[in-house]
């Protein structure tokens, strides 16, 4: 009784693992980053003042900038475009502070409702008639220049990339989590059944997994996508249904080795029921590898989803996932590189964070590995 | 050993059969058909087409017809590219995918293993950290990000290589696809090699070799490396199968006319024969490389006995 | 007086760990002369292995050594690798505890023998091969020429240890360091290897350092003894003198740790508790899907055992003799043939459900104190698990009281019951395992090598505890062990098993004083040399 000196509540293996995880700086930083990413993706779209579906025809493929749009040199073009749509002539314009004054003329009397054309433009708002000539052929109207911010630029149809990237983040993260969960659930149930039943059942169940392994798995996913239709909700089911194989193998191996542990034998000798052995001995000891695998599975799922989206099989427009955005970006390299850069940074950094957390968890839960 | 190879080849047949069967029926219960997409196709013409390809027969009959043809080595005509048979399509695309895949496999194996070994021998040095960083990056950043970034940097900014295309397979056309294909595998090989080498260096028999005063070369190459190669070899099998049968992503980004694209296009167009052909080719590669890996294993590890 | 071959002066070994620096060896000095055998004795964690590992430059990468290790004028500490490699393997060699893993599994025995010979003696393959075969003969390996082509996994543990010795001696070293070379081997094989080492040491006139925790071995082989504890030398001197008159209290405690005493047999009219008649267990090996018919192995072959109340039957045998399987069969934990009755009730045909109430009466304590406790349950939860099954209506408060009681009975501080197994030492864990067994107030406990994984001192404490519990509760024990010294102290009836059969049985005096079977004689010779 010498080496346990002070009397304090015991430190379980979980507490030990937690302490080790906290000491791992890459993992803690990654966890914080991931929380931040989640929060930003959830709240961010509410604050960007753009809806992810809003199309700004005036701002197609606008490069990213911290300064507001429109720029001075584009105001005139937007003005002329707007006036042109009203089928009237522009005779002069000037800017005073935030407002633009434009004088127009026409061969026919001008309807005052032309100010709508100014309002309809993405560049101006609050348009009104300032003065009108008696014959109605000349008119001066003004509109306030509407300042818009596109920190990440806009895409080919003039949608704000920041908003779309954040919305895509919601989708990718949600699919990652949900599909990861589905895969883990199927894998754990299948693997545990196989490992605990043992014998012939185990052999048959594992043979099935072997055959599924040798099927080209893209084929599997594509078939599932074809079945389910390109449906966002069912999407993660398809992905999860494919990625459970590894989990099943891991859990089966663990269950097999746990069954041979002396403490399971000891419990059997105590007369503990199978259910008790499962709940008190097998599951708590299985949890570690499952948690580790799950954190490593989520990035896999996100990649797979991005991959499918990249091929055009995943999330459909106007919804977006990081894969969808990257796919669009890859098609516009050289002309609009930001379309590739921003979603790629978001996706890659998230994947890094998830991997670091997974590695950290593995080191923490399984110190033998180091 | 020969008997083992023969037995493995024999067991490959039922495996292949199961895969073909599952794929065939899975594909056929999916809605749609090869001639449904083309809008406004005259129903009479459609019926004629289906009759011509035997698609009007009951499903089980079609299945046996397909199996029979397959046994004679006939993959059938492609439904969507009616001028070609499936076999012709593979004859055109497979050599290209094989070239890229082989180059990527060799590259990733050689460099990945070298990096892993070096990092293991200099554990916790800056080189080790560098290798670990590269390995983490390589296995984390998806190919569909790396490939366009390569195109931007080397194709558009530096103009060292074309952005894409095959161009009769010149070196400049190949280098990008090969690097992007190789990078994730290189990362995994480096990680595996580093881990298993560190583990091997900590075994009791390495301690024995050190206690016997053997040279570093003998300890590292003869005693540690041989054992450490085993996990790398077992991963190299599936990796080789995946690399050689063409990558959808890399081939579509770099516009390479390999076989990687066939599968997705064929599945989307319900080009049944082409889908089945792809499945069979991939399955054969997978089975073959698993066998090769097992044989290599036996050469490396005398504890494995094959009867 | 002869010059020492190796003189260690103030050797310190430190390890850099997550919890800071651990001092494994804290300034040890000792020397070895030609032709003498020095035994370094100590329990696990005493630093005895790390001392020699450090001297040989074999520390793990987080370890460091300071001090002077003088080999004939060369300081081995800090010696550049090429120079160190001209001494180790050539002049000083080392063999290790783990015969199963110390040889490279990927090369033949011959290959591994020849390599260091060619490397150090700079001779050709043919000569080295001849030398290797000579060495194989020297360590008495049958058919040396054929065995040269064998792989390690094709040999037994004893044979591998012989190969290790051959490798170590092939270059005519001055000094052989043996780190627990027999610990992992069965007792009879242990004796053979020790004999071989002793005779080779005499013949070759080299010095030998023998690291061990086993005083029996020391007595048999050493001329001088160094006793280590917590990284320091506590006593050093002539072997005979130390055995006769230990000076340091720790050495005395070590010597006293030899299990002693005898158990009186139970009263003749004591009731029968467990009765097994002609029990057999057959294992299927291999077989299954596409792998041909399975191989049948008779692990236990028609064995009959009768255990009375208050009796301890010792079952003795080497690994693979079927002793553990027999006990598990009697407890109905593995399927078996033959009749088994518990307190007169036939239990051979009972199924799981029907056996459950009886499990309360029959308990088992397993060998591995690290593996037999669920790592994610507290000591209290582990101890009370049986109550959940057999007294499901008990409140958790009452269960906790029972846990406190049981832990007190095994002399473990009940305050520690919220701790997890990894926080306890080996002996403490075994106490927890015993508490788990006795909390149900059983009639019979199977003790499957309960002390084999423990240091001698802890071992004797556990034996004492088991004896007291038996007296207090009139328990019956089935005591399985390969260690005759322990069995002699515990059992009043001994069964000797070999290859699944009983080869001899009787009272300890009958069996141990006058063994009839040659197998028992060999076991005896090995245990009490």
């Amino acid at each position: 009784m010498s080496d346990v000196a002070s009397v304090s509540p015991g430190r379980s293996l979980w507490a030990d693992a937690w302490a080790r995880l906290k000491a791992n700086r890459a993992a803690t930083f990654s966890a914080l980053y991931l929380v931040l990413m989640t929060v930003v993706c959830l709240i961010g779209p509410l604050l960007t003042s753009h809806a992810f579906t809003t199309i700004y025809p005036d701002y197609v493929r606008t490069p990213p900038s911290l300064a507001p749009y429109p720029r001075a040199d584009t105001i005139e073009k937007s003005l002329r475009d707007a006036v042109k749509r009203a089928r009237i002539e522009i005779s002069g314009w000037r800017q005073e502070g935030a407002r633009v004054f434009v004088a127009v003329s026409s061969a026919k009397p001008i309807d005052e409702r032309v100010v709508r054309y100014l309002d309809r433009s993405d560049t101006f708002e609050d348009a009104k008639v300032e003065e009108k000539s008696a014959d109605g052929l000349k008119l001066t109207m003004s509109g306030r220049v509407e300042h818009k911010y596109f920190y990440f630029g806009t895409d080919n149809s003039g949608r704000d990339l920041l908003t779309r990237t954040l919305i895509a983040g919601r989708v990718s993260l949600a699919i990652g989590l949900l599909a990861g969960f589905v895969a883990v659930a199927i894998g754990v149930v299948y693997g545990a059944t196989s490992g605990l039943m043992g014998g012939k059942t185990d052999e048959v169940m594992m043979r099935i997994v072997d055959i599924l392994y040798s099927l080209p798995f893209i084929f599997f996913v594509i078939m599932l996508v074809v079945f389910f239709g390109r449906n966002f909700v069912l999407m993660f089911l398809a992905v999860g249904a494919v990625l459970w194989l590894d989990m099943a193998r891991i859990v089966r191996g663990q269950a097999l080795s746990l069954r041979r542990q002396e403490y399971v034998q000891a419990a059997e000798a105590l007369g503990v029921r199978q259910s008790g052995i499962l709940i008190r001995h097998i599951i708590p000891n299985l949890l570690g590898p499952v948690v580790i695998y799950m954190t490593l599975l989520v990035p896999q799922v996100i990649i797979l989803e991005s991959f499918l989206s990249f091929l055009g099989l995943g999330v459909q427009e106007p919804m977006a996932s990081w894969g969808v955005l990257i796919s669009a970006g890859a098609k516009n390299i050289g002309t609009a590189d930001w379309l590739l850069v921003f979603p790629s940074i978001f996706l890659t950094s998230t994947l890094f964070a998830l991997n670091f957390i997974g590695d950290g968890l593995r080191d923490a839960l399984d110190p033998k590995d180091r | 050993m020969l008997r083992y190879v023969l037995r493995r080849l024999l067991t490959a047949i039922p495996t292949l059969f199961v895969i073909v069967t599952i794929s065939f029926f899975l594909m056929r219960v999916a809605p749609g058909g090869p001639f449904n997409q083309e809008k406004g196709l005259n129903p009479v013409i459609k019926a004629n087409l289906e009759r011509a390809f035997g698609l009007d027969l009951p499903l089980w009959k079609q299945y046996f017809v397909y199996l029979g043809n397959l046994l004679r080595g006939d993959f059938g005509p492609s439904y969507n590219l009616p001028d070609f048979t499936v076999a012709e399509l593979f004859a055109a695309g497979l050599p290209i995918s094989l070239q890229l895949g082989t180059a990527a496999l060799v590259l990733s194996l050689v460099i990945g293993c070298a990096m892993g070994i070096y990092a293991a021998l200099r554990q916790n040095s800056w080189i080790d950290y560098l290798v670990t960083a590269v390995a983490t990056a390589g296995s984390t950043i998806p190919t569909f990000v790396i490939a366009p970034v390569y195109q931007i940097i080397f194709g558009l900014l530096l103009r060292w290589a074309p952005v894409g295309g095959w161009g009769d397979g010149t070196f400049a056309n190949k280098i990008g696809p090969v690097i992007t294909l190789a990078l994730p595998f290189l990362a995994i090989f480096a990680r595996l090699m580093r881990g298993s080498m560190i583990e091997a260096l900590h075994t009791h028999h390495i301690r024995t070799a050190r206690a016997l005063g053997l040279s570093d070369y003998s300890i590292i190459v003869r005693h540690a490396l041989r054992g450490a190669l085993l996990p790398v070899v077992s991963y190299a099998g599936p990796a080789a199968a995946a690399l050689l049968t063409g990558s959808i992503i890399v081939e579509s980004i770099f516009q390479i006319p390999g076989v990687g694209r066939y599968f997705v296009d064929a599945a989307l167009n319900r080009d049944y024969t082409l889908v089945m052909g792809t499945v069979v080719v991939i399955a054969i590669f997978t089975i073959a490389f698993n066998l090769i890996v097992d044989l290599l294993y036996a050469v490396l590890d005398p504890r494995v006995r094959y009867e | 007086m002869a010059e020492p071959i190796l003189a260690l002066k103030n050797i310190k070994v430190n390890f850099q760990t997550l919890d800071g620096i651990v001092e494994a060896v804290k300034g040890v000095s000792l020397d070895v002369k030609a032709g003498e055998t020095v035994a370094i004795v100590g329990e696990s964690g005493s630093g005895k292995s790390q001392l020699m590992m450090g001297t040989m430059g074999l520390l793990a990468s987080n370890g460091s050594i300071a001090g002077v290790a003088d080999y004939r004028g060369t300081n081995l500490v800090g010696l550049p690798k090429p120079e160190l490699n001209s001494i180790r393997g050539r002049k000083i060699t080392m063999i290790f505890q783990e015969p199963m893993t110390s040889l490279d599994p990927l090369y033949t025995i011959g290959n591994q023998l020849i390599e260091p010979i060619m490397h150090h003696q700079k001779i050709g393959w043919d000569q080295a091969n001849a030398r290797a075969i000579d060495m194989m003969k020297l360590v008495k390996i049958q058919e040396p020429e054929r065995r040269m082509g064998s792989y390690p996994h094709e040999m037994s543990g004893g044979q591998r240890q012989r190969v290790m010795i051959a490798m170590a001696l092939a270059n005519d070293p001055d000094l052989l360091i043996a780190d627990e070379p027999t610990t992992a081997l069965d007792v009879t094989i242990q004796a053979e290897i020790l004999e071989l080492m002793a005779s080779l040491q005499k013949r070759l006139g080299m010095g030998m350092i023998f690291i061990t925790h086993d005083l029996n071995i020391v007595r048999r082989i050493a001329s001088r003894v160094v006793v280590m504890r917590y990284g320091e030398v506590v006593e050093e001197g002539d072997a005979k003198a130390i055995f006769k008159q230990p000076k340091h209290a720790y050495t005395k405690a070590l010597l006293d740790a030899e299990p002693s005493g005898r158990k009186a047999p139970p009263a003749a009219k004591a009731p029968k508790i467990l009765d097994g008649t002609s029990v057999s267990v057959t294992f299927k090996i291999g077989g299954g899907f596409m792998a041909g018919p399975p191989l049948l192995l008779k692990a236990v072959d028609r064995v009959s055992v009768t255990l009375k109340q208050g009796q301890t039957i010792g079952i003795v045998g080497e690994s693979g003799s079927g002793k553990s399987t027999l006990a598990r069969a009697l407890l109905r934990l593995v399927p078996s043939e033959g009749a088994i009755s518990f307190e007169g009730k036939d239990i051979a045909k009972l199924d799981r459900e029907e056996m459950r109430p009886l499990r309360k009466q029959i308990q088992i304590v397993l060998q591995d104190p690290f593996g037999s406790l669920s790592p994610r349950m507290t000591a209290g939860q582990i101890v009370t698990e049986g109550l959940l099954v057999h007294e499901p209506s008990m409140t958790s408060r009452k269960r906790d009281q029972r846990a406190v009681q049981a832990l007190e009975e095994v002399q473990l501080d009940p305050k520690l019951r919220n701790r997890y197994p990894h926080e306890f030492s080996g002996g403490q864990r075994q106490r927890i395992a015993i508490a788990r067994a006795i909390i149900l107030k059983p009639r019979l406990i199977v003790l499957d090598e309960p002390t084999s994984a423990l240091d001698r001192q802890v071992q004797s404490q556990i034996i004492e505890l088991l004896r007291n519990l038996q007296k207090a509760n009139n328990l019956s024990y089935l005591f399985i062990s390969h260690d005759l010294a322990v069995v002699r102290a515990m059992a009043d009836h001994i069964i000797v098993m070999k290859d699944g059969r009983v080869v001899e049985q009787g009272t300890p005096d009958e069996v141990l004083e006058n063994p009839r079977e040659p197998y028992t004689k060999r076991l005896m010779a090995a245990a009490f040399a």
Side-chain angles (χ1 to χ4, degrees), chain A residues 62-69 71 149-153:
Chain A
T62 308
S65 167
L66 291 175
Y69 285 98
R71 300 286 156 80
Y149 289 88
F150 298 109
Y151 300 114
F152 285 10

Side-chain angles (χ1 to χ4, degrees), chain B residues 204 207-208 212 218 222-223, chain C residues 98 101-102 104 107 115 120:
Chain B
H204 287 144
R207 187 182 62 189
T208 307
L212 285 170
S218 169
R222 263 175 61 87
H223 294 285
Chain C
E98 302 84 1
T101 51
S102 288
D104 193 328
Y107 292 93
E115 190 186 354
H120 286 295

Side-chain angles (χ1 to χ4, degrees), chain B residues 31-46:
Chain B
F35 307 113
N36 289 1
Q37 267 89 356
E38 292 156 55
K39 282 176 208 147
L41 193 63
N42 187 320
V44 182
I45 297 174
K46 186 182 166 216

